[in-house]
Amino acid sequence: MSLTIYGCYRSRATRTIWLANELGLPFKHVPVVQIYRLPDPNAPDAPLHTGSPDFLEVNPNGRIPAISDDGFHLHESLAINFYLARKHGGPLAPANAQEEGLAVMWSLWAATECETHALNLQYHLAAYPPEKRKPELVTAALAALAAPFAVLDKTLAQGGGFVMGGRFTVADINVAEVIRYAKPGTQLFEAAPHVKAWLAACHERPAFQAMWQAREAEPA
């Protein structure tokens, strides 16, 4: 088995695992926990984590996910997904230079225009305990995401329910895994029905379901 994916499911490793499932790629999964989640990362029984010397040999930045593919190391989840899609081909990969440009554009758009705000909705509407939530960050995130959601909604309406290429591609995975964070902000999805339907369809895919079931089984 040439492909190894490093990272826990409760991280951006979900993007790469979902894609690997879609491609039918066999892979070895090495759980790596974020160092900030450990009370004592130096304890003798501490699990492999992002500050462990063995993992830093794979990604010296100490971030997950990372992969080793026949000894080739790569990190940054969006880059990993483009690499795997390009290497293994099929309809998930961009078909030409224009599609490759669009896939990169939409993935970077999600990371730059949406991800920080979407995470704030996830944290401050759902993940954090009530005493740690900041309503002002929720208000700011909802305001900031209204325009990007409208842009994506129009694109999906014109593209047959897909981000680009008129079919499900790596771009849909990369963008959907960012937009998923915003789900607690339900009003955004009510105002963007194509986004709501597209994300639901993405999450109904068997490859996503397999990844999500494994994520749910992972200790929080």
Side-chain angles (χ1 to χ4, degrees):
M1 193 175 296
S2 64
L3 177 63
T4 300
I5 300 175
Y6 296 86
C8 60
Y9 279 89
R10 295 177 186 275
S11 74
R12 290 177 179 86
T14 54
R15 303 170 182 181
T16 299
I17 293 170
W18 179 9
L19 177 68
N21 289 346
E22 292 281 357
L23 292 170
L25 295 178
F27 63 90
K28 177 183 178 182
H29 176 226
V30 176
V32 180
V33 179
Q34 299 96 329
I35 192 170
Y36 64 79
R37 293 174 59 186
L38 301 175
D40 183 5
N42 297 315
D45 60 346
L48 185 67
H49 57 77
T50 50
S52 297
D54 286 348
F55 177 67
L56 293 174
E57 290 293 321
V58 179
N59 182 3
N61 297 290
R63 297 285 186 271
I64 49 177
I67 65 167
S68 176
D69 190 30
D70 276 333
F72 171 63
H73 292 172
L74 193 66
H75 48 87
E76 299 301 325
S77 59
L78 302 180
I80 292 169
N81 279 10
F82 286 128
Y83 164 74
L84 292 175
R86 183 180 182 89
K87 178 178 179 179
H88 296 281
L92 266 70
N96 50 47
Q98 286 187 350
E99 284 197 357
E100 186 165 1
L102 286 170
V104 173
M105 179 191 78
W106 280 110
S107 299
L108 294 179
W109 171 87
T112 57
E113 295 287 334
C114 301
E115 188 159 16
T116 297
H117 304 300
L119 283 169
N120 275 337
L121 294 179
Q122 176 68 35
Y123 294 148
H124 295 280
L125 284 175
Y128 286 164
E131 66 274 11
K132 193 177 177 182
R133 297 178 187 179
K134 296 182 178 180
E136 66 273 18
L137 292 182
V138 172
T139 300
L142 291 171
L145 287 173
F149 264 61
V151 169
L152 180 58
D153 199 66
K154 182 177 179 181
T155 298
L156 293 168
Q158 295 175 341
F162 302 102
V163 170
M164 53 138 255
R167 68 189 190 282
F168 184 81
T169 68
V170 62
D172 291 282
I173 293 176
N174 286 351
V175 177
E177 278 292 88
V178 172
I179 298 300
R180 171 170 65 82
Y181 299 143
K183 284 183 69 176
T186 54
Q187 55 267 61
L188 290 169
F189 293 88
E190 295 305 319
H194 296 285
V195 175
K196 183 178 180 179
W198 159 80
L199 189 63
C202 286
H203 289 176
E204 289 171 0
R205 296 181 68 87
F208 177 88
Q209 287 291 316
M211 176 276 289
W212 196 255
Q213 288 171 14
R215 184 188 183 280
E216 291 292 282
E218 184 179 78

